[in-house]
Amino acid sequence: MTFSIAGRCARTGMLGAVVTTSSMAVGGRCAYAEANVGAVLTQHRTDPRLGPKMLARLRDGMAPSAIIQDFEKTEPGLGWRQLAIINAKGEAAFF
C-alpha cells in the first residue's frame, strides 16, 4: 500500500511531496517537484513519464484541474493510477 501527500507552505511558498510504500523503491517513481512550479504524485501502476508531463503543464501555466481533465482524455490506463497535483499558488487536483 502507498500513501502520498503533496503540499505547499502558506508562509514560505515552498512545495513538497512525500511517499511511503511497502513496495521496495517504487516511491522513487511517484513524487516529483519543482521550485516555484508545483509538486505532483503518480502512484499505483506508476508511469514515471507522468510526473514530468504534469510538471511541464504546470510550468506552462495550466491549472491542476485542467491537467487532470486532459489526462483523463489522453492517457491510456489512467483508471489504474492515482494522481495528485498542487501548483505554486496552492491550487490542487487529484484523480
Side-chain angles (χ1 to χ4, degrees), residues 36-38 53-67 87-89 91:
N36 302 312
V37 174
K53 281 183 176 182
M54 289 187 282
L55 285 176
R57 284 174 170 80
L58 286 176
R59 203 176 306 112
D60 290 341
M62 200 169 189
S65 58
I67 295 169
N87 67 14
K89 298 181 214 172
E91 300 167 331

Side-chain angles (χ1 to χ4, degrees), residues 39-69:
V40 300
L41 296 147
T42 172
Q43 67 181 56
H44 187 66
R45 295 198 183 178
T46 61
D47 180 346
R49 298 172 298 169
L50 295 182
K53 281 183 176 182
M54 289 187 282
L55 285 176
R57 284 174 170 80
L58 286 176
R59 203 176 306 112
D60 290 341
M62 200 169 189
S65 58
I67 295 169
I68 296 292
Q69 289 172 356

Side-chain angles (χ1 to χ4, degrees), residues 1-45:
M1 185 167 289
T2 303
F3 294 95
S4 304
I5 299 172
R8 177 186 174 274
C9 176
R11 186 175 56 82
T12 66
M14 293 185 75
L15 299 154
V18 63
V19 176
T20 183
T21 183
S22 63
S23 300
M24 299 229 2
V26 75
R29 300 183 329 183
C30 295
Y32 301 83
E34 186 175 326
N36 302 312
V37 174
V40 300
L41 296 147
T42 172
Q43 67 181 56
H44 187 66
R45 295 198 183 178

